[in-house]
Amino acid sequence: MELSLVRRYFPEGTNGNLWNGDHLVCHTIELPWKDNERNVSCVPEGRYLIQTRHTEERGLHYMLVQVPNRSFILFHSANNALKELKGCIAPVSRLTGPGKGLESRRANENFKFVLSTAMKKGEEVYLTIKSIEHANHKV
């Protein structure tokens, strides 16, 4: 499966739309771009493999792997990037401002369902991250 995350950057945060082909899976929020600095920046544009991860605290969840100079880039619920994220990506149901959204838990469950369905079929899941200036989809 090939997913694409089309983003728009703002000083207060990064907003995106996560697509599976022509189907919008969810919106996303992230920290602003700060030169890929750990814990304070969104993920650099590129193509990444998504893998499963399980912990006592979060249960089954997903993360990007092989991100340059970064590790443990998780997908998890959050409604305010600056207050709740440290470099991760949060699915949201609706964008309300730069780096802010609503109903993240619901969006995250939908995101997890899409990924788990593909992975149960044995598919690898890749995410290509790009900005609105380099994409056909609109944010």
Side-chain angles (χ1 to χ4, degrees):
M1 173 183 282
E2 292 282 342
L3 301 174
S4 62
L5 176 56
V6 182
R7 302 192 297 198
R8 179 167 281 155
Y9 303 97
F10 301 96
E12 307 86 15
T14 302
N15 293 353
N17 289 332
L18 196 145
W19 299 88
N20 179 7
D22 288 332
H23 174 72
L24 179 65
V25 175
C26 62
H27 304 285
T28 62
I29 59 171
E30 297 175 73
L31 292 169
W33 175 250
K34 295 197 176 177
D35 297 319
N36 196 32
E37 192 174 331
R38 289 177 184 256
N39 299 321
V40 297
S41 179
C42 62
V43 176
E45 294 180 20
R47 184 173 182 261
Y48 306 102
L49 180 65
I50 299 176
Q51 292 184 335
T52 58
R53 181 172 183 257
H54 188 276
T55 63
E56 293 277 331
E57 179 185 349
R58 294 193 187 274
L60 177 66
H61 55 281
Y62 297 93
M63 68 180 201
L64 292 180
V65 295
Q66 299 175 339
V67 177
N69 303 312
R70 302 273 292 276
S71 58
F72 299 104
I73 306 294
L74 309 179
F75 290 89
H76 65 81
S77 299
N79 292 305
N80 184 317
L82 290 176
K83 292 182 179 178
E84 301 173 83
L85 297 179
K86 292 187 177 180
C88 297
I89 301 172
V92 296
S93 297
R94 197 170 97 216
L95 295 167
T96 59
K100 295 181 181 177
L102 295 174
E103 299 179 7
S104 185
R105 288 178 203 249
R106 184 172 65 118
N108 194 45
E109 289 304 313
N110 183 50
F111 171 76
K112 287 165 61 173
F113 176 78
V114 170
L115 267 63
S116 68
T117 301
M119 289 181 177
K120 284 178 185 173
K121 294 179 190 174
E123 294 180 40
E124 286 189 325
V125 179
Y126 288 90
L127 176 66
T128 298
I129 301 173
K130 52 195 164 192
S131 69
I132 188 69
E133 289 80 20
H134 304 109
N136 296 327
H137 295 294
K138 298 198 184 267
V139 175

